[in-house]
Amino acid sequence: MERTGKIMRRSIYTFLQNYQFFTVTAALLVLPFSVSILLSQAFLPFSSSLLPIIHDRLQSLFYAAGFPPSSQFFTILNLKLSQTISSSIFTLPFTISFLLIGKSCIIQALNQNKPAFPPSFSSFISLYCPLLITYIWNSFLILSANATAFSVILIAFNCVEGFGYLSPTFLLILSAAAAILYSIILANSFIICNLALVSSGVDRCGGHIAILKACVMIRGRTSAALSLALPVNLAMAAVEALFQYRIVRAYHFYGKPRSSMAVEGLFIAYMYSLLVVLDTIVSCVFFKSCKAGCWRDPDGTHSYPIEIAEEGCKAFENTRISEELP
């Protein structure tokens, strides 16, 4: 397994080596998705009736489950979940079309022994179906991860309340621990989903098989995957904040859109597209690094026999490595 810094440098080198393809073809394919995600996060909370409905439903669900109403953690979590769900619904058509097509184009270009830039249309469009199936399975995985996290947190709060330790100070400490636990579970889920998309594109085999492969490949490499995902996600958050500061603030100040705002907003969305492209490249390089690691543990002592087969799926992997004697 290569070091995190080396993987990041190789990803940036790949991006710069084929700068024209990634900044024109790939970025323009992802651009409509970037525009939709920025607009949904900026204007959907103020102009849509969907957000209050989702917020009220989640609040009723939390209260019915027994979560303490006085906890600030659940108040913030309810608001963020409502915004995420409403934004996901708004951007869903752009996600399953432009984003997945852009990712399939990048994966196909990097998957060849001698990468061709740009790849032919028929070659990368054939990856769309496996990626779409894997994306649907990823959605169920994210829902399951959220349900698991809420179940564990609910059990913890109910146990503490049953023993009579639910003081304001202890409630604050428990809320902070719940926030950390929820972030860890969700971060690992997103990493597995991201790696599963790359696996489905490389092996042309989507669905739960790609998720199982990602779970096996990520074992012992979670910290490296988190270190790779953190810089790109921080950069995306910075671009979203820039859009809020430059476009949304100006829109509320003038009360109407202007042509200069549209041009600047489109440029910020293009910056977001470049980050999405770079994130996909990092995932592809990390996936290749995991496959090159011969499925070994970080200590190098043994690896795992893996047999994955599915009817109608071309991917079949069989790795047999015996344990090394001390």
Side-chain angles (χ1 to χ4, degrees), residues 28-97:
L28 290 180
L29 284 174
V30 182
L31 184 60
F33 164 77
S34 301
V35 173
S36 67
I37 196 73
L38 292 175
L39 289 177
S40 66
Q41 294 181 359
F43 298 106
L44 195 61
F46 306 101
S47 60
S48 175
S49 60
L50 181 63
L51 180 61
I53 295 175
I54 296 176
H55 182 273
D56 293 340
R57 296 288 184 180
L58 288 178
Q59 190 174 35
S60 302
L61 181 63
F62 284 155
Y63 289 164
F67 289 113
S70 59
S71 175
Q72 286 293 112
F73 167 70
F74 293 107
T75 302
I76 298 173
L77 181 62
N78 186 14
L79 178 61
K80 292 299 181 183
L81 276 177
S82 303
Q83 292 175 350
T84 302
I85 293 173
S86 58
S87 176
S88 300
I89 294 174
F90 177 79
T91 60
L92 181 62
F94 301 93
T95 303
I96 63 177
S97 55

Side-chain angles (χ1 to χ4, degrees), residues 97-287:
S97 55
F98 294 101
L99 178 63
L100 293 184
I101 292 175
K103 282 182 175 290
S104 62
C105 180
I106 299 169
I107 294 171
Q108 176 62 25
L110 298 176
N111 188 35
Q112 303 174 13
N113 294 328
K114 292 183 178 181
F117 299 96
S120 61
F121 178 79
S122 59
S123 64
F124 76 80
I125 205 66
S126 62
L127 304 183
Y128 176 76
C129 285
L131 262 69
L132 179 60
I133 296 173
T134 305
Y135 178 81
I136 296 173
W137 278 88
N138 285 346
S139 302
F140 289 118
L141 177 62
I142 296 297
L143 289 175
S144 302
N146 279 277
T148 302
F150 290 147
S151 300
V152 173
I153 295 172
L154 176 62
I155 292 172
F157 271 93
N158 286 336
C159 289
V160 171
E161 187 178 11
F163 287 111
Y165 293 112
L166 206 60
S167 62
T169 303
F170 199 82
L171 180 62
L172 180 62
I173 296 174
L174 192 60
S175 298
I180 295 173
L181 175 65
Y182 179 76
S183 300
I184 292 174
I185 294 176
L186 207 61
N188 282 273
S189 302
F190 278 116
I191 289 172
I192 291 173
C193 292
N194 207 7
L195 201 62
L197 282 176
V198 177
S199 176
S200 63
V202 172
D203 299 326
R204 298 175 183 268
C205 182
H208 65 284
I209 297 297
I211 296 178
L212 290 175
K213 289 182 182 181
C215 292
V216 173
M217 295 178 70
I218 206 67
R219 180 172 178 178
R221 303 176 176 92
T222 307
S223 59
L226 287 172
S227 301
L228 290 171
L230 183 61
V232 180
N233 281 274
L234 287 177
M236 288 181 178
V239 173
E240 292 173 3
L242 179 64
F243 187 84
Q244 292 277 347
Y245 178 76
R246 294 293 302 172
I247 306 302
V248 179
R249 192 175 69 112
Y251 175 78
H252 290 301
F253 179 78
Y254 292 109
K256 59 180 181 180
R258 294 190 171 189
S259 58
S260 59
M261 293 167 51
V263 174
E264 188 176 1
L266 196 60
F267 177 72
I268 295 175
Y270 178 74
M271 292 171 57
Y272 194 91
S273 301
L274 293 179
L275 292 174
V276 174
V277 171
L278 183 59
D279 180 62
T280 307
I281 296 173
V282 171
S283 299
C284 291
V285 175
F286 179 68
F287 178 82

